[in-house]
Structures are given as C-alpha cells and as structure tokens.
Amino acid sequence: MNLRNLVKTYFEGVTLWGFLGILLQGSLGDVTIALVFFLALANLAGVYGEPKGYLVRALAFLSSSLILLLFSEGWIGGTLAVLFLFVGLAYLVSYPLYLRGNDFLPRNMLGVALAGGVVGFAIFYRPSSMKAIYFVDFLIVVALSWTAFVIGKYVSLKFGSGNVVTIDFPPVEVGKYDSWLREAKNAVHQFVEYSDKTPLVVLVSRFAPRDIGNREVENALEPIIEYQPDLGGPLTPIWLRLLYMEREREKRRQLVNELFNKISRW
C-alpha cells in the first residue's frame, strides 16, 4: 500500500474534519484539535475498502469517544462522546456481520448516529427550567450529531478511492464477436447505470461455452446476482446521496471487470 497515498488521504480528512472542529472549539476547547486528528482516521476507510474499512472507522470513532469522555466537559462533549461510541461500536459489529452477508448497519449509520446523539443528550444534559431552551438545545445536539456523521461520510466517499474503473471486454470467437460486443455493451450499461442485473446474467448464461458447467457459470455470476446498491438511509442529504451513487457505479464497474476476467478464462 502506498504510504504517500495514505498520508495524503489522512490529511484530506484532517482538513475537512477541521471545519467541524472550528464550529465546536468554543464548546470543547483544546480537546478539539486532538479530536480532529483522530476522526480523520475514518478517511482512511476508503483506502482499505469493505469490510476492513469498517475496522478503521471503528478505531477513529471509538478513540474519539474516549478522548471526549476523558477530557471534555459539558453536555455537548458528552453527547458527542456517546454519539461516536454508538457509531464506533456499530462499525465494529459491522465487520463480522458483513462477512456473513449482512450490511444493515453501514446502510443505516446516520440513524445509529442520531440514536447515539439522543441517548447522549439524555445522559449529559442538565434540564433547564425553561422548556423552550431545553427544546432548542435538543435541536442543536441533533443538528451537531447529523452534521458530524454526514461530514465523515462525505470525506470517506469523496476521497476514499478516486480511481476510475474502465471495463475490459473479454475476447470471444470471431463469428460471435459482433453479436457479443453489441449485447455486452448494452448489458453492462444497464447494470452499471441502473443496477439492472438481468441483461448481464442472461448474456453470460447464453454465451457460456458448452463445456462449462452450470456451477461454474453460477460462481461467476454470484457477485453480480447478490449485489445490492448502498445509497444511504432516509436521512442522507441529496448531495451526499449523489456521492453514494457515483461510488456504487464504480463498484458495479469493478464487479463487471471481475466477471469478465473469470469468463475470459473459459
């Protein structure tokens, strides 16, 4: 792994998390600087990919939670500590779940962050005698919770990869080439742009050589068939959802390349 790329990616995270640090410095004080540097570790998740990236994010958020619990005072620091604790534990649990085919938590991490913010607020906030002030403070911490996690996801998606995947069509018998290429381009377009798996699955099944067994065809197509796009949860803002969509396109291009690499050996 390129050390220079890791360092560059990390400091991009420091820059973006630093904007949140500026907003929180008045409430968190000197601990804000250390917090920014630990949260920036989450930016490296995109370099490691899934599911290893979940462990990187878990480290970033759990260490940030510990720093806030040990060195910050006030309800904002306490609330964010619990928020980061929820997110960090969720990513830690997501690693073994992902290996079993379950990615529910990463898809709904904004909801996890919101739940953590609400629980933290309930634990650390000292209620005011004025209900209106209490409600405003609650809205503030919800907004901070949402902002903190959205920034983290933006950093990860925007700078996590940056590689444009091009698709290499495998060679076939000369007599079939024109038909194959025309159908293949259409099938790839449908899958990459619209997540429509059917044309690609049908294409590979039709053009599989006669000496290739059904099991080999199924193994080659399995990642395509099991693919499910991750576009975030219902709380994901539209500008962040657009980044999700672009990341998923790159992921689908990579899946197509892996499929073509397998069938080119048939």
Side-chain angles (χ1 to χ4, degrees), residues 56-79:
V56 177
R57 291 192 182 109
L59 173 64
F61 286 107
L62 290 177
S63 59
S64 300
S65 175
L66 182 62
I67 288 175
L68 287 170
L69 287 172
L70 292 177
F71 301 109
S72 70
E73 298 179 356
W75 65 271
I76 291 181
T79 299

Side-chain angles (χ1 to χ4, degrees), residues 204-205 208-221 266:
V204 173
S205 301
R210 293 182 179 179
D211 58 339
I212 297 297
N214 291 338
R215 187 56 186 166
E216 290 181 80
V217 176
E218 291 172 3
N219 288 337
L221 288 170
W266 288 353

Side-chain angles (χ1 to χ4, degrees), residues 149-167:
F149 195 76
V150 165
I151 288 178
K153 292 298 291 185
Y154 179 86
V155 169
S156 177
L157 292 172
K158 184 69 175 178
F159 300 104
S161 174
N163 297 322
V164 177
V165 179
T166 57
I167 296 172

